[in-house]
Amino acid sequence: MGRNAAGESFLRGFFEHATVSEFWVQVENAAHSNQFTDAARLAGRSEPVNVVDRNSLASLGRSGMVYFPGPGISVHAYQRGTHGHGSWSLCGITHTTSSARAMDALAELVTAPVQPWDAVICTSRAVQDNVRRVLQAQADYLQERLGITRVVLPRFPVIPLGVHTQDFVFTESRKADARRSLGIDGEEVVVLFMGRLSFHAKAHPLAMYQAIEAAVRHSGKRAVLVECGWHANDFIAKAFAEAAATACPDVRVVRLDGRKPDARGLAWASADIFCSLSDNIQETFGITPIEAMAAGLPVVVSDWDGYRDTVRHEIDGFRIPTLMPGAGFGSDLALRHALEIDTYDMYCGHTCAFVAVDVPAATDAFARLFASPELRRKLGAAGQSRARELFDWAAIMPRYEALWSELSEIRRSRSAGELKPAGRAWPARLDPFDAFAAYPTAQLTPETLLCLSDSDVDTAWRRITAYRKLAMVNFAKTVLPPEDEIRQLIEAASQGACSVACVADVVSPSRRIEVSRAIIWLVKLDILRIVRGTGR
């Protein structure tokens, strides 16, 4: 999982680049500190290791800082309170913030005894926005309910995750060997997706399949798609195979077990282009595009959350526009999750069913990269330079240490901070299209212009029918629109460019929310398209 890989990478980066004279480790069981000490010694660090457990928390005052690899620092703030709130600083970090546990941890910060000399690092600007929305909603609820007038919060600086860029440098000989081992010839272009193969909780691959297939047909090039990851179960594995066979029949798909280091190395070394069209709220930063940049690969990514901070459009690769409904159109999804009607996976999946990636734009990106080895080299070189300069742990670790030093200064001066609240009905269970409003390129509005992507309604209907048979589409059937509504919407859109308001008028006003989501869903499947120059 991403948070596990990020934690391991951080610890390695900390041992390699931390400027400390001694180490402190807080553990549940004192015997567990041996693992930390062994790791430090293996990394070549000989400094003394001080061990803290629940029986010796007061000694953290000598350390002055506790870094916890998650956002849930509230319990640690309560523990610290027993020794004085100014005894030491706390620093957490966001990973996925869409789970109930993570959202509760964020909401708890409003009432927990956290202080201005504490921090929760946000790995992207988008997740920082999400964190602030949850906190403001919780604070406003307490003001309305209890009349609170003062809120004390930690800081929420944006610091990206780091990578070990040298791990992704491959010789030309290694690259040639990797391609030979996968049966890839010199005329084939290799597109790589790296990560969990989960259509409902990572990245829905249909847009990627459609775009690569269209680019192959447009360019006349032969493409190989390498999916290096793992499926959680046979159902998901079959869903991926079924969708690829349907949406990209002219593309050879190679699947490698991403849990194996050798397979990951093989995938990175063989690739010409990296792709990750994330459309899921469980993503907050996305480390694989940076790894791809470190490997010198041009990247095709969705314009989504942390990808927007790391990938420069048409410099390191291409950021593909995304679209989702505005606030107010997903409260039922949040409620289903809150009431445990839907699991967390289903909540993420249902939300992602209404997030669209611009397939024509992705197609254009792939077609340009397929056609030009020089463009691939140019973008790949720019990305590699950027990864080394900004995202290697050698550059990231000093930013952590600077933050920790600043927090210590604030703690010593006992300065205070403020955050203006804003209200929501259930602060820790926001409508996902409100909570994650900063993730997409744009939100659907009544003025957004639409058109049918096919030449006629019958062709569009046949494609919809085929896609709805796919497991990765049909899994969200409980929140997808009924067939009669779909037919009405595509018939309305077939008249030429018309606004969302005009298309929605064909359905009862009582179905406004469902209809607006249905329109996004049809854009997601590339049945409807946003008319260029609007909604972007």
Side-chain angles (χ1 to χ4, degrees), residues 482-518:
E483 289 188 355
D484 60 335
E485 275 188 6
I486 296 174
R487 187 81 188 196
Q488 288 177 285
L489 293 174
I490 63 174
E491 286 177 351
S494 69
Q495 305 304 312
C498 55
S499 68
V500 167
C502 180
V503 172
D505 279 346
V506 302
V507 180
S508 168
S510 65
R511 298 279 296 165
R512 182 179 64 90
I513 289 178
E514 291 80 5
V515 168
S516 295
R517 289 202 318 224

PDB file of all heavy atoms in Angstrom, residues 482-518:
ATOM      1  N   PRO A 482     -30.786   5.093 -14.524  1.00  0.00           N
ATOM      2  CA  PRO A 482     -31.564   4.066 -15.227  1.00  0.00           C
ATOM      3  C   PRO A 482     -31.478   4.251 -16.737  1.00  0.00           C
ATOM      4  O   PRO A 482     -31.174   5.349 -17.236  1.00  0.00           O
ATOM      5  CB  PRO A 482     -32.984   4.306 -14.709  1.00  0.00           C
ATOM      6  CG  PRO A 482     -33.009   5.744 -14.311  1.00  0.00           C
ATOM      7  CD  PRO A 482     -31.633   6.045 -13.802  1.00  0.00           C
ATOM      8  N   GLU A 483     -31.782   3.190 -17.484  1.00  0.00           N
ATOM      9  CA  GLU A 483     -31.616   3.220 -18.931  1.00  0.00           C
ATOM     10  C   GLU A 483     -32.496   4.257 -19.618  1.00  0.00           C
ATOM     11  O   GLU A 483     -32.081   4.896 -20.586  1.00  0.00           O
ATOM     12  CB  GLU A 483     -31.907   1.832 -19.509  1.00  0.00           C
ATOM     13  CG  GLU A 483     -30.843   0.801 -19.182  1.00  0.00           C
ATOM     14  CD  GLU A 483     -31.048  -0.513 -19.920  1.00  0.00           C
ATOM     15  OE1 GLU A 483     -32.076  -0.654 -20.623  1.00  0.00           O
ATOM     16  OE2 GLU A 483     -30.179  -1.388 -19.792  1.00  0.00           O
ATOM     17  N   ASP A 484     -33.727   4.435 -19.116  1.00  0.00           N
ATOM     18  CA  ASP A 484     -34.611   5.398 -19.792  1.00  0.00           C
ATOM     19  C   ASP A 484     -34.070   6.822 -19.685  1.00  0.00           C
ATOM     20  O   ASP A 484     -34.172   7.615 -20.623  1.00  0.00           O
ATOM     21  CB  ASP A 484     -36.030   5.301 -19.226  1.00  0.00           C
ATOM     22  CG  ASP A 484     -36.098   5.601 -17.739  1.00  0.00           C
ATOM     23  OD1 ASP A 484     -35.077   5.419 -17.042  1.00  0.00           O
ATOM     24  OD2 ASP A 484     -37.159   6.013 -17.254  1.00  0.00           O
ATOM     25  N   GLU A 485     -33.457   7.149 -18.554  1.00  0.00           N
ATOM     26  CA  GLU A 485     -32.876   8.476 -18.405  1.00  0.00           C
ATOM     27  C   GLU A 485     -31.676   8.638 -19.325  1.00  0.00           C
ATOM     28  O   GLU A 485     -31.480   9.687 -19.942  1.00  0.00           O
ATOM     29  CB  GLU A 485     -32.448   8.720 -16.955  1.00  0.00           C
ATOM     30  CG  GLU A 485     -33.571   9.214 -16.062  1.00  0.00           C
ATOM     31  CD  GLU A 485     -33.058   9.622 -14.683  1.00  0.00           C
ATOM     32  OE1 GLU A 485     -31.825   9.612 -14.481  1.00  0.00           O
ATOM     33  OE2 GLU A 485     -33.883   9.950 -13.824  1.00  0.00           O
ATOM     34  N   ILE A 486     -30.851   7.610 -19.405  1.00  0.00           N
ATOM     35  CA  ILE A 486     -29.672   7.674 -20.264  1.00  0.00           C
ATOM     36  C   ILE A 486     -30.092   7.934 -21.709  1.00  0.00           C
ATOM     37  O   ILE A 486     -29.520   8.773 -22.404  1.00  0.00           O
ATOM     38  CB  ILE A 486     -28.860   6.364 -20.171  1.00  0.00           C
ATOM     39  CG1 ILE A 486     -28.306   6.172 -18.758  1.00  0.00           C
ATOM     40  CG2 ILE A 486     -27.717   6.375 -21.183  1.00  0.00           C
ATOM     41  CD1 ILE A 486     -27.632   4.851 -18.546  1.00  0.00           C
ATOM     42  N   ARG A 487     -31.118   7.206 -22.156  1.00  0.00           N
ATOM     43  CA  ARG A 487     -31.582   7.361 -23.532  1.00  0.00           C
ATOM     44  C   ARG A 487     -32.074   8.799 -23.779  1.00  0.00           C
ATOM     45  O   ARG A 487     -31.762   9.410 -24.800  1.00  0.00           O
ATOM     46  CB  ARG A 487     -32.722   6.368 -23.797  1.00  0.00           C
ATOM     47  CG  ARG A 487     -33.180   6.323 -25.256  1.00  0.00           C
ATOM     48  CD  ARG A 487     -32.268   5.454 -26.081  1.00  0.00           C
ATOM     49  NE  ARG A 487     -32.561   5.551 -27.499  1.00  0.00           N
ATOM     50  CZ  ARG A 487     -32.132   4.675 -28.402  1.00  0.00           C
ATOM     51  NH1 ARG A 487     -31.390   3.641 -28.015  1.00  0.00           N
ATOM     52  NH2 ARG A 487     -32.403   4.818 -29.685  1.00  0.00           N
ATOM     53  N   GLN A 488     -32.821   9.329 -22.828  1.00  0.00           N
ATOM     54  CA  GLN A 488     -33.313  10.695 -22.970  1.00  0.00           C
ATOM     55  C   GLN A 488     -32.162  11.697 -23.053  1.00  0.00           C
ATOM     56  O   GLN A 488     -32.194  12.638 -23.866  1.00  0.00           O
ATOM     57  CB  GLN A 488     -34.209  11.055 -21.775  1.00  0.00           C
ATOM     58  CG  GLN A 488     -35.566  10.363 -21.771  1.00  0.00           C
ATOM     59  CD  GLN A 488     -36.352  10.709 -20.517  1.00  0.00           C
ATOM     60  OE1 GLN A 488     -36.063  10.220 -19.433  1.00  0.00           O
ATOM     61  NE2 GLN A 488     -37.338  11.569 -20.666  1.00  0.00           N
ATOM     62  N   LEU A 489     -31.139  11.490 -22.246  1.00  0.00           N
ATOM     63  CA  LEU A 489     -30.024  12.429 -22.210  1.00  0.00           C
ATOM     64  C   LEU A 489     -29.219  12.412 -23.503  1.00  0.00           C
ATOM     65  O   LEU A 489     -28.850  13.462 -24.038  1.00  0.00           O
ATOM     66  CB  LEU A 489     -29.114  12.122 -21.014  1.00  0.00           C
ATOM     67  CG  LEU A 489     -29.723  12.359 -19.631  1.00  0.00           C
ATOM     68  CD1 LEU A 489     -28.770  11.881 -18.547  1.00  0.00           C
ATOM     69  CD2 LEU A 489     -30.059  13.833 -19.429  1.00  0.00           C
ATOM     70  N   ILE A 490     -28.921  11.219 -24.017  1.00  0.00           N
ATOM     71  CA  ILE A 490     -28.109  11.178 -25.242  1.00  0.00           C
ATOM     72  C   ILE A 490     -28.919  11.640 -26.449  1.00  0.00           C
ATOM     73  O   ILE A 490     -28.362  12.204 -27.396  1.00  0.00           O
ATOM     74  CB  ILE A 490     -27.511   9.770 -25.478  1.00  0.00           C
ATOM     75  CG1 ILE A 490     -28.591   8.718 -25.696  1.00  0.00           C
ATOM     76  CG2 ILE A 490     -26.590   9.382 -24.342  1.00  0.00           C
ATOM     77  CD1 ILE A 490     -28.016   7.353 -26.078  1.00  0.00           C
ATOM     78  N   GLU A 491     -30.231  11.435 -26.428  1.00  0.00           N
ATOM     79  CA  GLU A 491     -31.052  11.959 -27.519  1.00  0.00           C
ATOM     80  C   GLU A 491     -31.052  13.489 -27.504  1.00  0.00           C
ATOM     81  O   GLU A 491     -30.964  14.139 -28.545  1.00  0.00           O
ATOM     82  CB  GLU A 491     -32.475  11.416 -27.418  1.00  0.00           C
ATOM     83  CG  GLU A 491     -32.597   9.958 -27.828  1.00  0.00           C
ATOM     84  CD  GLU A 491     -34.011   9.410 -27.654  1.00  0.00           C
ATOM     85  OE1 GLU A 491     -34.843  10.120 -27.054  1.00  0.00           O
ATOM     86  OE2 GLU A 491     -34.270   8.284 -28.109  1.00  0.00           O
ATOM     87  N   ALA A 492     -31.107  14.073 -26.300  1.00  0.00           N
ATOM     88  CA  ALA A 492     -31.072  15.527 -26.192  1.00  0.00           C
ATOM     89  C   ALA A 492     -29.727  16.071 -26.655  1.00  0.00           C
ATOM     90  O   ALA A 492     -29.654  17.102 -27.337  1.00  0.00           O
ATOM     91  CB  ALA A 492     -31.349  15.954 -24.755  1.00  0.00           C
ATOM     92  N   ALA A 493     -28.646  15.361 -26.309  1.00  0.00           N
ATOM     93  CA  ALA A 493     -27.307  15.827 -26.673  1.00  0.00           C
ATOM     94  C   ALA A 493     -27.007  15.625 -28.149  1.00  0.00           C
ATOM     95  O   ALA A 493     -26.069  16.224 -28.688  1.00  0.00           O
ATOM     96  CB  ALA A 493     -26.255  15.115 -25.820  1.00  0.00           C
ATOM     97  N   SER A 494     -27.765  14.761 -28.817  1.00  0.00           N
ATOM     98  CA  SER A 494     -27.503  14.462 -30.227  1.00  0.00           C
ATOM     99  C   SER A 494     -27.903  15.606 -31.150  1.00  0.00           C
ATOM    100  O   SER A 494     -27.601  15.580 -32.339  1.00  0.00           O
ATOM    101  CB  SER A 494     -28.243  13.185 -30.638  1.00  0.00           C
ATOM    102  OG  SER A 494     -29.650  13.397 -30.653  1.00  0.00           O
ATOM    103  N   GLN A 495     -28.586  16.620 -30.613  1.00  0.00           N
ATOM    104  CA  GLN A 495     -29.056  17.729 -31.433  1.00  0.00           C
ATOM    105  C   GLN A 495     -27.944  18.751 -31.716  1.00  0.00           C
ATOM    106  O   GLN A 495     -28.187  19.762 -32.368  1.00  0.00           O
ATOM    107  CB  GLN A 495     -30.230  18.432 -30.731  1.00  0.00           C
ATOM    108  CG  GLN A 495     -31.377  17.502 -30.360  1.00  0.00           C
ATOM    109  CD  GLN A 495     -31.923  16.748 -31.557  1.00  0.00           C
ATOM    110  OE1 GLN A 495     -32.179  17.350 -32.601  1.00  0.00           O
ATOM    111  NE2 GLN A 495     -32.089  15.450 -31.411  1.00  0.00           N
ATOM    112  N   GLY A 496     -26.756  18.500 -31.215  1.00  0.00           N
ATOM    113  CA  GLY A 496     -25.653  19.444 -31.371  1.00  0.00           C
ATOM    114  C   GLY A 496     -25.258  19.997 -30.022  1.00  0.00           C
ATOM    115  O   GLY A 496     -25.781  19.584 -28.987  1.00  0.00           O
ATOM    116  N   ALA A 497     -24.316  20.914 -30.022  1.00  0.00           N
ATOM    117  CA  ALA A 497     -23.833  21.476 -28.757  1.00  0.00           C
ATOM    118  C   ALA A 497     -24.977  22.120 -27.982  1.00  0.00           C
ATOM    119  O   ALA A 497     -25.660  23.004 -28.479  1.00  0.00           O
ATOM    120  CB  ALA A 497     -22.747  22.513 -29.027  1.00  0.00           C
ATOM    121  N   CYS A 498     -25.185  21.610 -26.782  1.00  0.00           N
ATOM    122  CA  CYS A 498     -26.241  22.178 -25.945  1.00  0.00           C
ATOM    123  C   CYS A 498     -25.775  22.149 -24.492  1.00  0.00           C
ATOM    124  O   CYS A 498     -24.921  21.358 -24.118  1.00  0.00           O
ATOM    125  CB  CYS A 498     -27.556  21.433 -26.115  1.00  0.00           C
ATOM    126  SG  CYS A 498     -27.458  19.669 -25.815  1.00  0.00           S
ATOM    127  N   SER A 499     -26.347  23.009 -23.689  1.00  0.00           N
ATOM    128  CA  SER A 499     -25.899  23.158 -22.310  1.00  0.00           C
ATOM    129  C   SER A 499     -26.395  22.010 -21.441  1.00  0.00           C
ATOM    130  O   SER A 499     -27.361  21.308 -21.786  1.00  0.00           O
ATOM    131  CB  SER A 499     -26.398  24.485 -21.729  1.00  0.00           C
ATOM    132  OG  SER A 499     -27.807  24.448 -21.591  1.00  0.00           O
ATOM    133  N   VAL A 500     -25.733  21.847 -20.303  1.00  0.00           N
ATOM    134  CA  VAL A 500     -26.169  20.851 -19.320  1.00  0.00           C
ATOM    135  C   VAL A 500     -27.603  21.137 -18.905  1.00  0.00           C
ATOM    136  O   VAL A 500     -28.418  20.218 -18.777  1.00  0.00           O
ATOM    137  CB  VAL A 500     -25.230  20.873 -18.099  1.00  0.00           C
ATOM    138  CG1 VAL A 500     -25.840  20.088 -16.942  1.00  0.00           C
ATOM    139  CG2 VAL A 500     -23.872  20.309 -18.458  1.00  0.00           C
ATOM    140  N   ALA A 501     -27.934  22.400 -18.715  1.00  0.00           N
ATOM    141  CA  ALA A 501     -29.292  22.765 -18.308  1.00  0.00           C
ATOM    142  C   ALA A 501     -30.307  22.323 -19.353  1.00  0.00           C
ATOM    143  O   ALA A 501     -31.376  21.794 -19.022  1.00  0.00           O
ATOM    144  CB  ALA A 501     -29.382  24.275 -18.089  1.00  0.00           C
ATOM    145  N   CYS A 502     -29.960  22.505 -20.628  1.00  0.00           N
ATOM    146  CA  CYS A 502     -30.864  22.108 -21.711  1.00  0.00           C
ATOM    147  C   CYS A 502     -31.038  20.597 -21.753  1.00  0.00           C
ATOM    148  O   CYS A 502     -32.153  20.089 -21.886  1.00  0.00           O
ATOM    149  CB  CYS A 502     -30.330  22.628 -23.041  1.00  0.00           C
ATOM    150  SG  CYS A 502     -31.362  22.193 -24.461  1.00  0.00           S
ATOM    151  N   VAL A 503     -29.915  19.868 -21.622  1.00  0.00           N
ATOM    152  CA  VAL A 503     -29.989  18.405 -21.639  1.00  0.00           C
ATOM    153  C   VAL A 503     -30.786  17.901 -20.440  1.00  0.00           C
ATOM    154  O   VAL A 503     -31.631  17.006 -20.559  1.00  0.00           O
ATOM    155  CB  VAL A 503     -28.569  17.797 -21.643  1.00  0.00           C
ATOM    156  CG1 VAL A 503     -28.634  16.282 -21.468  1.00  0.00           C
ATOM    157  CG2 VAL A 503     -27.842  18.151 -22.934  1.00  0.00           C
ATOM    158  N   ALA A 504     -30.554  18.488 -19.266  1.00  0.00           N
ATOM    159  CA  ALA A 504     -31.213  18.032 -18.049  1.00  0.00           C
ATOM    160  C   ALA A 504     -32.712  18.314 -18.053  1.00  0.00           C
ATOM    161  O   ALA A 504     -33.477  17.651 -17.339  1.00  0.00           O
ATOM    162  CB  ALA A 504     -30.570  18.683 -16.831  1.00  0.00           C
ATOM    163  N   ASP A 505     -33.146  19.283 -18.847  1.00  0.00           N
ATOM    164  CA  ASP A 505     -34.568  19.646 -18.888  1.00  0.00           C
ATOM    165  C   ASP A 505     -35.461  18.521 -19.376  1.00  0.00           C
ATOM    166  O   ASP A 505     -36.673  18.545 -19.151  1.00  0.00           O
ATOM    167  CB  ASP A 505     -34.776  20.877 -19.791  1.00  0.00           C
ATOM    168  CG  ASP A 505     -34.460  22.165 -19.051  1.00  0.00           C
ATOM    169  OD1 ASP A 505     -34.346  22.118 -17.802  1.00  0.00           O
ATOM    170  OD2 ASP A 505     -34.303  23.209 -19.721  1.00  0.00           O
ATOM    171  N   VAL A 506     -34.883  17.523 -20.045  1.00  0.00           N
ATOM    172  CA  VAL A 506     -35.710  16.434 -20.583  1.00  0.00           C
ATOM    173  C   VAL A 506     -36.125  15.471 -19.480  1.00  0.00           C
ATOM    174  O   VAL A 506     -36.951  14.579 -19.708  1.00  0.00           O
ATOM    175  CB  VAL A 506     -34.966  15.671 -21.705  1.00  0.00           C
ATOM    176  CG1 VAL A 506     -34.589  16.617 -22.827  1.00  0.00           C
ATOM    177  CG2 VAL A 506     -33.735  14.947 -21.166  1.00  0.00           C
ATOM    178  N   VAL A 507     -35.534  15.605 -18.298  1.00  0.00           N
ATOM    179  CA  VAL A 507     -35.834  14.716 -17.173  1.00  0.00           C
ATOM    180  C   VAL A 507     -36.477  15.542 -16.063  1.00  0.00           C
ATOM    181  O   VAL A 507     -36.251  16.744 -15.946  1.00  0.00           O
ATOM    182  CB  VAL A 507     -34.549  14.013 -16.671  1.00  0.00           C
ATOM    183  CG1 VAL A 507     -34.859  13.082 -15.510  1.00  0.00           C
ATOM    184  CG2 VAL A 507     -33.895  13.244 -17.808  1.00  0.00           C
ATOM    185  N   SER A 508     -37.247  14.905 -15.244  1.00  0.00           N
ATOM    186  CA  SER A 508     -37.963  15.575 -14.163  1.00  0.00           C
ATOM    187  C   SER A 508     -37.020  16.376 -13.274  1.00  0.00           C
ATOM    188  O   SER A 508     -35.927  15.897 -12.918  1.00  0.00           O
ATOM    189  CB  SER A 508     -38.718  14.547 -13.311  1.00  0.00           C
ATOM    190  OG  SER A 508     -39.181  15.135 -12.121  1.00  0.00           O
ATOM    191  N   PRO A 509     -37.415  17.603 -12.870  1.00  0.00           N
ATOM    192  CA  PRO A 509     -36.584  18.428 -11.984  1.00  0.00           C
ATOM    193  C   PRO A 509     -36.247  17.730 -10.666  1.00  0.00           C
ATOM    194  O   PRO A 509     -35.227  18.025 -10.051  1.00  0.00           O
ATOM    195  CB  PRO A 509     -37.451  19.669 -11.749  1.00  0.00           C
ATOM    196  CG  PRO A 509     -38.338  19.743 -12.949  1.00  0.00           C
ATOM    197  CD  PRO A 509     -38.627  18.316 -13.324  1.00  0.00           C
ATOM    198  N   SER A 510     -37.100  16.815 -10.243  1.00  0.00           N
ATOM    199  CA  SER A 510     -36.844  16.095  -8.992  1.00  0.00           C
ATOM    200  C   SER A 510     -35.616  15.191  -9.090  1.00  0.00           C
ATOM    201  O   SER A 510     -35.110  14.719  -8.082  1.00  0.00           O
ATOM    202  CB  SER A 510     -38.070  15.268  -8.596  1.00  0.00           C
ATOM    203  OG  SER A 510     -38.304  14.248  -9.546  1.00  0.00           O
ATOM    204  N   ARG A 511     -35.162  14.954 -10.331  1.00  0.00           N
ATOM    205  CA  ARG A 511     -33.999  14.088 -10.559  1.00  0.00           C
ATOM    206  C   ARG A 511     -32.751  14.908 -10.904  1.00  0.00           C
ATOM    207  O   ARG A 511     -31.824  14.400 -11.527  1.00  0.00           O
ATOM    208  CB  ARG A 511     -34.308  13.119 -11.709  1.00  0.00           C
ATOM    209  CG  ARG A 511     -35.465  12.182 -11.461  1.00  0.00           C
ATOM    210  CD  ARG A 511     -35.041  11.001 -10.623  1.00  0.00           C
ATOM    211  NE  ARG A 511     -34.051  10.193 -11.319  1.00  0.00           N
ATOM    212  CZ  ARG A 511     -33.294   9.274 -10.717  1.00  0.00           C
ATOM    213  NH1 ARG A 511     -33.415   9.073  -9.403  1.00  0.00           N
ATOM    214  NH2 ARG A 511     -32.413   8.568 -11.391  1.00  0.00           N
ATOM    215  N   ARG A 512     -32.716  16.181 -10.495  1.00  0.00           N
ATOM    216  CA  ARG A 512     -31.633  17.078 -10.883  1.00  0.00           C
ATOM    217  C   ARG A 512     -30.256  16.531 -10.509  1.00  0.00           C
ATOM    218  O   ARG A 512     -29.329  16.534 -11.320  1.00  0.00           O
ATOM    219  CB  ARG A 512     -31.835  18.448 -10.236  1.00  0.00           C
ATOM    220  CG  ARG A 512     -30.776  19.476 -10.615  1.00  0.00           C
ATOM    221  CD  ARG A 512     -31.074  20.809  -9.956  1.00  0.00           C
ATOM    222  NE  ARG A 512     -30.992  20.712  -8.498  1.00  0.00           N
ATOM    223  CZ  ARG A 512     -29.879  20.921  -7.797  1.00  0.00           C
ATOM    224  NH1 ARG A 512     -28.765  21.223  -8.423  1.00  0.00           N
ATOM    225  NH2 ARG A 512     -29.880  20.827  -6.479  1.00  0.00           N
ATOM    226  N   ILE A 513     -30.119  16.067  -9.283  1.00  0.00           N
ATOM    227  CA  ILE A 513     -28.818  15.568  -8.831  1.00  0.00           C
ATOM    228  C   ILE A 513     -28.418  14.337  -9.633  1.00  0.00           C
ATOM    229  O   ILE A 513     -27.295  14.229 -10.140  1.00  0.00           O
ATOM    230  CB  ILE A 513     -28.852  15.252  -7.322  1.00  0.00           C
ATOM    231  CG1 ILE A 513     -28.913  16.553  -6.525  1.00  0.00           C
ATOM    232  CG2 ILE A 513     -27.638  14.421  -6.905  1.00  0.00           C
ATOM    233  CD1 ILE A 513     -29.001  16.357  -5.026  1.00  0.00           C
ATOM    234  N   GLU A 514     -29.347  13.384  -9.767  1.00  0.00           N
ATOM    235  CA  GLU A 514     -29.046  12.149 -10.479  1.00  0.00           C
ATOM    236  C   GLU A 514     -28.730  12.415 -11.949  1.00  0.00           C
ATOM    237  O   GLU A 514     -27.846  11.789 -12.536  1.00  0.00           O
ATOM    238  CB  GLU A 514     -30.212  11.167 -10.366  1.00  0.00           C
ATOM    239  CG  GLU A 514     -30.438  10.576  -8.976  1.00  0.00           C
ATOM    240  CD  GLU A 514     -31.181  11.518  -8.030  1.00  0.00           C
ATOM    241  OE1 GLU A 514     -31.608  12.605  -8.494  1.00  0.00           O
ATOM    242  OE2 GLU A 514     -31.333  11.179  -6.848  1.00  0.00           O
ATOM    243  N   VAL A 515     -29.458  13.370 -12.545  1.00  0.00           N
ATOM    244  CA  VAL A 515     -29.237  13.682 -13.956  1.00  0.00           C
ATOM    245  C   VAL A 515     -27.864  14.315 -14.159  1.00  0.00           C
ATOM    246  O   VAL A 515     -27.132  13.971 -15.094  1.00  0.00           O
ATOM    247  CB  VAL A 515     -30.354  14.611 -14.485  1.00  0.00           C
ATOM    248  CG1 VAL A 515     -29.983  15.172 -15.853  1.00  0.00           C
ATOM    249  CG2 VAL A 515     -31.666  13.844 -14.584  1.00  0.00           C
ATOM    250  N   SER A 516     -27.495  15.242 -13.312  1.00  0.00           N
ATOM    251  CA  SER A 516     -26.183  15.876 -13.432  1.00  0.00           C
ATOM    252  C   SER A 516     -25.064  14.852 -13.283  1.00  0.00           C
ATOM    253  O   SER A 516     -24.064  14.893 -14.003  1.00  0.00           O
ATOM    254  CB  SER A 516     -26.035  16.978 -12.377  1.00  0.00           C
ATOM    255  OG  SER A 516     -26.956  18.018 -12.621  1.00  0.00           O
ATOM    256  N   ARG A 517     -25.245  13.928 -12.360  1.00  0.00           N
ATOM    257  CA  ARG A 517     -24.239  12.878 -12.215  1.00  0.00           C
ATOM    258  C   ARG A 517     -24.241  11.967 -13.432  1.00  0.00           C
ATOM    259  O   ARG A 517     -23.188  11.495 -13.880  1.00  0.00           O
ATOM    260  CB  ARG A 517     -24.492  12.070 -10.943  1.00  0.00           C
ATOM    261  CG  ARG A 517     -24.188  12.839  -9.681  1.00  0.00           C
ATOM    262  CD  ARG A 517     -23.931  11.944  -8.493  1.00  0.00           C
ATOM    263  NE  ARG A 517     -24.831  10.823  -8.376  1.00  0.00           N
ATOM    264  CZ  ARG A 517     -25.391  10.429  -7.235  1.00  0.00           C
ATOM    265  NH1 ARG A 517     -25.175  11.123  -6.129  1.00  0.00           N
ATOM    266  NH2 ARG A 517     -26.168   9.372  -7.188  1.00  0.00           N
ATOM    267  N   ALA A 518     -25.432  11.692 -13.977  1.00  0.00           N
ATOM    268  CA  ALA A 518     -25.515  10.846 -15.168  1.00  0.00           C
ATOM    269  C   ALA A 518     -24.754  11.466 -16.332  1.00  0.00           C
ATOM    270  O   ALA A 518     -24.097  10.763 -17.113  1.00  0.00           O
ATOM    271  CB  ALA A 518     -26.980  10.621 -15.553  1.00  0.00           C
TER     272      ALA A 518
END
